[in-house]
Amino acid sequence: QVQLVESGGGLVQAGGSLRLSCAASGRTFSRYAMGWFRQALGKEREAVAVISWSGDSTYYADSVKGRFTISRDNAKNTVYLQMNSLKPEDTAVYHCAADRDYARVVVGDVVAWGQGTQVTVSS
């Protein structure tokens, strides 16, 4: 089973950038599809971005297309979320997720979740 630890969250002004990292344990990381989800206070969790194990396929929520980029480095067992042009509505706890099935990551039906990292965007 893969274990996930996020980092890189913080406070940033609107229009700024942050890069989140998710470090995974386990020797089979390269076989997992990975995703980033977020949950704002009082709202449901939503999928932000997903990447296949090979990196060939990606999914983005409409609200972040053109601003966020998901990537992975299988040699470092790490997945990243580069967030640019941040908006106050991007404020949320961001969680990393993993599953061997790409489609299951998209819908949030996964075998592993990270503990989350807070992103706060001030106006």
Side-chain angles (χ1 to χ4, degrees):
Q1 187 89 345
V2 64
Q3 294 183 326
L4 309 172
V5 178
E6 302 97 334
S7 61
L11 173 64
V12 64
Q13 289 188 332
S17 298
L18 281 175
R19 188 176 81 155
L20 305 183
S21 298
C22 174
S25 64
R27 292 175 289 180
T28 59
F29 170 78
S30 63
R31 294 302 181 185
Y32 283 82
M34 302 293 297
W36 286 97
F37 290 72
R38 66 186 181 188
Q39 186 164 21
L41 197 62
K43 295 187 177 181
E44 292 187 356
R45 184 181 62 207
E46 64 171 340
V48 175
V50 179
I51 189 166
S52 63
W53 68 269
S54 65
D56 290 343
S57 297
T58 56
Y59 160 86
Y60 292 96
D62 288 343
S63 58
V64 306
K65 282 181 181 176
R67 299 189 298 123
F68 291 11
T69 302
I70 189 170
S71 62
R72 65 189 296 159
D73 185 337
N74 287 342
K76 295 182 178 180
N77 280 14
T78 303
V79 63
Y80 305 97
L81 185 68
Q82 178 66 43
M83 304 185 295
N84 299 328
S85 302
L86 282 161
K87 304 175 181 180
E89 52 264 42
D90 294 318
T91 295
V93 177
Y94 284 70
H95 295 268
C96 182
D99 197 272
R100 290 181 180 269
D101 189 313
Y102 177 86
R104 289 180 59 164
V105 178
V106 174
V107 299
D109 183 18
V110 300
V111 296
W113 289 97
Q115 83 289 349
T117 185
Q118 176 71 47
V119 172
T120 303
V121 185
S122 63
S123 57

